[in-house]
Amino acid sequence: MTIGGWIVMSLSIGSVLTLLTFCLYKTFTIPADQDD
């Protein structure tokens, strides 16, 4: 694979992993609703 191909693949995988990590972080760090 060419250098350009490696760069595009790395950017694609990196952006998807970054978005996934951000979404998981936001999901697991929201405060739980306390209905008392």
Side-chain angles (χ1 to χ4, degrees):
M1 192 159 51
T2 64
I3 296 297
W6 279 105
I7 292 172
V8 170
M9 185 180 71
S10 299
L11 288 175
S12 300
I13 294 174
S15 61
V16 169
L17 288 178
T18 301
L19 181 62
L20 174 67
T21 304
F22 174 74
C23 290
L24 288 176
Y25 174 76
K26 294 296 282 187
T27 300
F28 287 117
T29 56
I30 55 173
D33 291 333
Q34 297 293 329
D35 294 330
D36 290 336

CSV table of all heavy atoms in Angstrom, one decimal:
chain,number,residue,atom,x,y,z
A,1,MET,N,0.9,-1.2,0.0
A,1,MET,CA,0.0,0.0,0.0
A,1,MET,C,0.9,1.2,0.0
A,1,MET,O,2.0,1.2,0.6
A,1,MET,CB,-0.9,0.0,1.2
A,1,MET,CG,-2.0,1.0,1.2
A,1,MET,SD,-3.4,0.7,2.2
A,1,MET,CE,-2.7,0.4,3.8
A,2,THR,N,0.4,2.3,-0.6
A,2,THR,CA,1.2,3.5,-0.7
A,2,THR,C,1.2,4.3,0.6
A,2,THR,O,0.4,4.0,1.4
A,2,THR,CB,0.7,4.4,-1.9
A,2,THR,OG1,-0.6,4.8,-1.6
A,2,THR,CG2,0.7,3.6,-3.2
A,3,ILE,N,2.1,5.3,0.6
A,3,ILE,CA,2.2,6.1,1.8
A,3,ILE,C,0.8,6.9,2.0
A,3,ILE,O,0.3,7.0,3.1
A,3,ILE,CB,3.3,7.1,1.7
A,3,ILE,CG1,4.7,6.4,1.7
A,3,ILE,CG2,3.3,8.1,2.9
A,3,ILE,CD1,5.0,5.6,3.0
A,4,GLY,N,0.3,7.4,0.9
A,4,GLY,CA,-1.0,8.1,1.0
A,4,GLY,C,-2.1,7.2,1.5
A,4,GLY,O,-3.0,7.6,2.3
A,5,GLY,N,-2.1,5.9,1.1
A,5,GLY,CA,-3.1,5.0,1.6
A,5,GLY,C,-3.0,4.7,3.1
A,5,GLY,O,-4.0,4.7,3.8
A,6,TRP,N,-1.7,4.6,3.6
A,6,TRP,CA,-1.5,4.5,5.0
A,6,TRP,C,-2.0,5.7,5.8
A,6,TRP,O,-2.6,5.6,6.8
A,6,TRP,CB,0.0,4.2,5.3
A,6,TRP,CG,0.4,2.8,5.1
A,6,TRP,CD1,1.1,2.3,4.0
A,6,TRP,CD2,0.0,1.6,5.9
A,6,TRP,NE1,1.2,0.9,4.1
A,6,TRP,CE2,0.6,0.5,5.3
A,6,TRP,CE3,-0.7,1.5,7.1
A,6,TRP,CZ2,0.5,-0.8,5.8
A,6,TRP,CZ3,-0.8,0.2,7.6
A,6,TRP,CH2,-0.2,-0.9,7.0
A,7,ILE,N,-1.7,6.9,5.2
A,7,ILE,CA,-2.2,8.1,5.9
A,7,ILE,C,-3.7,8.2,6.0
A,7,ILE,O,-4.2,8.5,7.0
A,7,ILE,CB,-1.6,9.3,5.2
A,7,ILE,CG1,0.0,9.4,5.3
A,7,ILE,CG2,-2.2,10.6,5.7
A,7,ILE,CD1,0.7,10.4,4.5
A,8,VAL,N,-4.3,7.9,4.9
A,8,VAL,CA,-5.8,8.0,4.8
A,8,VAL,C,-6.4,6.9,5.8
A,8,VAL,O,-7.3,7.2,6.5
A,8,VAL,CB,-6.3,7.8,3.4
A,8,VAL,CG1,-7.8,7.6,3.4
A,8,VAL,CG2,-6.0,8.9,2.5
A,9,MET,N,-5.9,5.7,5.8
A,9,MET,CA,-6.4,4.7,6.6
A,9,MET,C,-6.1,5.0,8.1
A,9,MET,O,-7.0,4.8,8.9
A,9,MET,CB,-5.7,3.3,6.3
A,9,MET,CG,-6.2,2.2,7.1
A,9,MET,SD,-5.4,0.6,6.8
A,9,MET,CE,-3.8,0.9,7.6
A,10,SER,N,-5.0,5.6,8.4
A,10,SER,CA,-4.7,5.9,9.8
A,10,SER,C,-5.6,7.1,10.3
A,10,SER,O,-6.1,7.0,11.4
A,10,SER,CB,-3.2,6.4,9.9
A,10,SER,OG,-2.4,5.3,9.6
A,11,LEU,N,-5.8,8.1,9.4
A,11,LEU,CA,-6.7,9.1,9.8
A,11,LEU,C,-8.2,8.6,10.0
A,11,LEU,O,-8.9,9.1,10.9
A,11,LEU,CB,-6.7,10.2,8.8
A,11,LEU,CG,-5.4,11.1,8.7
A,11,LEU,CD1,-5.5,12.1,7.6
A,11,LEU,CD2,-5.2,11.8,10.0
A,12,SER,N,-8.6,7.7,9.1
A,12,SER,CA,-10.0,7.2,9.2
A,12,SER,C,-10.1,6.4,10.5
A,12,SER,O,-11.1,6.7,11.3
A,12,SER,CB,-10.3,6.3,8.0
A,12,SER,OG,-10.1,7.0,6.8
A,13,ILE,N,-9.2,5.5,10.8
A,13,ILE,CA,-9.3,4.7,12.0
A,13,ILE,C,-9.2,5.6,13.2
A,13,ILE,O,-9.9,5.4,14.2
A,13,ILE,CB,-8.3,3.6,12.0
A,13,ILE,CG1,-8.6,2.6,10.8
A,13,ILE,CG2,-8.2,2.8,13.3
A,13,ILE,CD1,-7.6,1.5,10.6
A,14,GLY,N,-8.3,6.5,13.2
A,14,GLY,CA,-8.1,7.4,14.3
A,14,GLY,C,-9.3,8.2,14.7
A,14,GLY,O,-9.7,8.4,15.8
A,15,SER,N,-9.9,8.8,13.6
A,15,SER,CA,-11.1,9.6,13.9
A,15,SER,C,-12.3,8.8,14.4
A,15,SER,O,-13.0,9.2,15.3
A,15,SER,CB,-11.5,10.3,12.6
A,15,SER,OG,-11.8,9.4,11.6
A,16,VAL,N,-12.4,7.6,13.9
A,16,VAL,CA,-13.5,6.7,14.4
A,16,VAL,C,-13.3,6.3,15.8
A,16,VAL,O,-14.2,6.4,16.7
A,16,VAL,CB,-13.7,5.4,13.5
A,16,VAL,CG1,-14.6,4.4,14.1
A,16,VAL,CG2,-14.2,5.8,12.1
A,17,LEU,N,-12.0,5.9,16.2
A,17,LEU,CA,-11.7,5.6,17.5
A,17,LEU,C,-11.9,6.8,18.5
A,17,LEU,O,-12.3,6.6,19.6
A,17,LEU,CB,-10.3,5.0,17.6
A,17,LEU,CG,-10.1,3.6,17.0
A,17,LEU,CD1,-8.7,3.2,17.1
A,17,LEU,CD2,-11.0,2.6,17.7
A,18,THR,N,-11.5,8.0,18.0
A,18,THR,CA,-11.6,9.1,18.8
A,18,THR,C,-13.1,9.4,19.1
A,18,THR,O,-13.5,9.7,20.3
A,18,THR,CB,-11.0,10.4,18.1
A,18,THR,OG1,-9.6,10.1,17.9
A,18,THR,CG2,-11.1,11.6,19.0
A,19,LEU,N,-13.9,9.4,18.1
A,19,LEU,CA,-15.4,9.6,18.3
A,19,LEU,C,-16.0,8.5,19.2
A,19,LEU,O,-16.8,8.9,20.1
A,19,LEU,CB,-16.1,9.6,16.9
A,19,LEU,CG,-17.6,9.8,16.9
A,19,LEU,CD1,-17.9,11.2,17.5
A,19,LEU,CD2,-18.2,9.6,15.5
A,20,LEU,N,-15.6,7.3,19.0
A,20,LEU,CA,-16.1,6.2,19.9
A,20,LEU,C,-15.7,6.4,21.3
A,20,LEU,O,-16.5,6.3,22.2
A,20,LEU,CB,-15.6,4.9,19.4
A,20,LEU,CG,-15.9,3.6,20.3
A,20,LEU,CD1,-17.4,3.4,20.2
A,20,LEU,CD2,-15.2,2.4,19.8
A,21,THR,N,-14.5,6.8,21.5
A,21,THR,CA,-14.0,7.0,22.9
A,21,THR,C,-14.7,8.2,23.5
A,21,THR,O,-15.1,8.1,24.7
A,21,THR,CB,-12.5,7.3,22.9
A,21,THR,OG1,-11.8,6.2,22.3
A,21,THR,CG2,-11.9,7.5,24.3
A,22,PHE,N,-14.9,9.3,22.8
A,22,PHE,CA,-15.6,10.4,23.3
A,22,PHE,C,-17.1,10.1,23.7
A,22,PHE,O,-17.5,10.4,24.7
A,22,PHE,CB,-15.6,11.5,22.2
A,22,PHE,CG,-16.4,12.7,22.6
A,22,PHE,CD1,-16.0,13.6,23.6
A,22,PHE,CD2,-17.6,13.0,22.0
A,22,PHE,CE1,-16.7,14.7,23.9
A,22,PHE,CE2,-18.4,14.1,22.3
A,22,PHE,CZ,-18.0,14.9,23.3
A,23,CYS,N,-17.7,9.3,22.8
A,23,CYS,CA,-19.1,9.0,23.1
A,23,CYS,C,-19.2,8.1,24.3
A,23,CYS,O,-20.1,8.2,25.1
A,23,CYS,CB,-19.8,8.3,21.8
A,23,CYS,SG,-20.0,9.4,20.5
A,24,LEU,N,-18.3,7.1,24.4
A,24,LEU,CA,-18.4,6.2,25.5
A,24,LEU,C,-18.1,7.0,26.8
A,24,LEU,O,-18.7,6.7,27.9
A,24,LEU,CB,-17.4,5.1,25.4
A,24,LEU,CG,-17.7,4.0,24.3
A,24,LEU,CD1,-16.6,3.0,24.2
A,24,LEU,CD2,-19.0,3.3,24.7
A,25,TYR,N,-17.1,7.9,26.8
A,25,TYR,CA,-16.8,8.7,27.9
A,25,TYR,C,-18.0,9.5,28.4
A,25,TYR,O,-18.3,9.6,29.6
A,25,TYR,CB,-15.6,9.6,27.6
A,25,TYR,CG,-15.3,10.6,28.7
A,25,TYR,CD1,-14.6,10.2,29.9
A,25,TYR,CD2,-15.7,11.9,28.6
A,25,TYR,CE1,-14.3,11.1,30.9
A,25,TYR,CE2,-15.4,12.8,29.6
A,25,TYR,CZ,-14.7,12.4,30.7
A,25,TYR,OH,-14.4,13.3,31.7
A,26,LYS,N,-18.7,10.2,27.4
A,26,LYS,CA,-19.8,11.0,27.7
A,26,LYS,C,-20.9,10.1,28.3
A,26,LYS,O,-21.7,10.6,29.2
A,26,LYS,CB,-20.3,11.8,26.5
A,26,LYS,CG,-19.3,12.8,26.0
A,26,LYS,CD,-19.1,13.9,27.0
A,26,LYS,CE,-20.2,14.9,27.0
A,26,LYS,NZ,-19.9,16.1,27.9
A,27,THR,N,-21.1,8.9,27.7
A,27,THR,CA,-22.2,8.1,28.2
A,27,THR,C,-22.0,7.6,29.6
A,27,THR,O,-22.9,7.6,30.4
A,27,THR,CB,-22.3,6.8,27.3
A,27,THR,OG1,-22.5,7.3,25.9
A,27,THR,CG2,-23.4,5.9,27.7
A,28,PHE,N,-20.7,7.2,30.0
A,28,PHE,CA,-20.5,6.6,31.3
A,28,PHE,C,-20.2,7.7,32.3
A,28,PHE,O,-20.1,7.3,33.5
A,28,PHE,CB,-19.3,5.6,31.2
A,28,PHE,CG,-19.7,4.4,30.5
A,28,PHE,CD1,-19.1,4.0,29.3
A,28,PHE,CD2,-20.7,3.5,31.0
A,28,PHE,CE1,-19.4,2.8,28.7
A,28,PHE,CE2,-21.0,2.4,30.4
A,28,PHE,CZ,-20.4,2.0,29.2
A,29,THR,N,-20.1,8.9,32.0
A,29,THR,CA,-19.8,9.9,33.0
A,29,THR,C,-21.0,10.9,33.3
A,29,THR,O,-20.8,11.8,34.0
A,29,THR,CB,-18.6,10.8,32.6
A,29,THR,OG1,-18.8,11.4,31.3
A,29,THR,CG2,-17.3,10.0,32.6
A,30,ILE,N,-22.1,10.6,32.6
A,30,ILE,CA,-23.3,11.4,32.9
A,30,ILE,C,-23.8,11.1,34.3
A,30,ILE,O,-23.7,10.0,34.8
A,30,ILE,CB,-24.4,11.2,31.9
A,30,ILE,CG1,-24.9,9.8,31.8
A,30,ILE,CG2,-24.1,11.8,30.6
A,30,ILE,CD1,-26.1,9.5,31.0
A,31,PRO,N,-24.2,12.1,35.1
A,31,PRO,CA,-24.7,11.8,36.5
A,31,PRO,C,-26.0,11.1,36.4
A,31,PRO,O,-26.8,11.3,35.6
A,31,PRO,CB,-24.9,13.2,37.1
A,31,PRO,CG,-25.0,14.1,35.9
A,31,PRO,CD,-24.2,13.5,34.8
A,32,ALA,N,-26.1,10.1,37.3
A,32,ALA,CA,-27.4,9.3,37.4
A,32,ALA,C,-28.5,10.2,38.0
A,32,ALA,O,-28.3,10.9,38.9
A,32,ALA,CB,-27.1,8.1,38.2
A,33,ASP,N,-29.7,10.0,37.4
A,33,ASP,CA,-30.8,10.7,38.0
A,33,ASP,C,-31.3,10.1,39.3
A,33,ASP,O,-31.5,8.9,39.3
A,33,ASP,CB,-32.0,10.7,37.0
A,33,ASP,CG,-31.6,11.6,35.7
A,33,ASP,OD1,-30.8,12.5,35.9
A,33,ASP,OD2,-32.2,11.3,34.7
A,34,GLN,N,-31.4,10.9,40.3
A,34,GLN,CA,-31.8,10.5,41.6
A,34,GLN,C,-33.3,11.0,41.8
A,34,GLN,O,-33.5,12.1,42.2
A,34,GLN,CB,-30.9,11.0,42.7
A,34,GLN,CG,-29.5,10.5,42.6
A,34,GLN,CD,-29.3,9.0,42.8
A,34,GLN,OE1,-30.1,8.4,43.6
A,34,GLN,NE2,-28.4,8.4,42.2
A,35,ASP,N,-34.2,10.1,41.6
A,35,ASP,CA,-35.6,10.5,41.8
A,35,ASP,C,-36.1,10.0,43.2
A,35,ASP,O,-36.6,8.9,43.4
A,35,ASP,CB,-36.5,9.9,40.7
A,35,ASP,CG,-36.2,10.4,39.4
A,35,ASP,OD1,-35.8,11.6,39.3
A,35,ASP,OD2,-36.4,9.7,38.3
A,36,ASP,N,-35.9,10.8,44.2
A,36,ASP,CA,-36.3,10.5,45.6
A,36,ASP,C,-37.5,11.3,46.0
A,36,ASP,O,-37.6,12.5,45.7
A,36,ASP,CB,-35.2,10.7,46.5
A,36,ASP,CG,-34.1,9.6,46.3
A,36,ASP,OD1,-34.4,8.6,45.8
A,36,ASP,OD2,-32.9,9.9,46.7
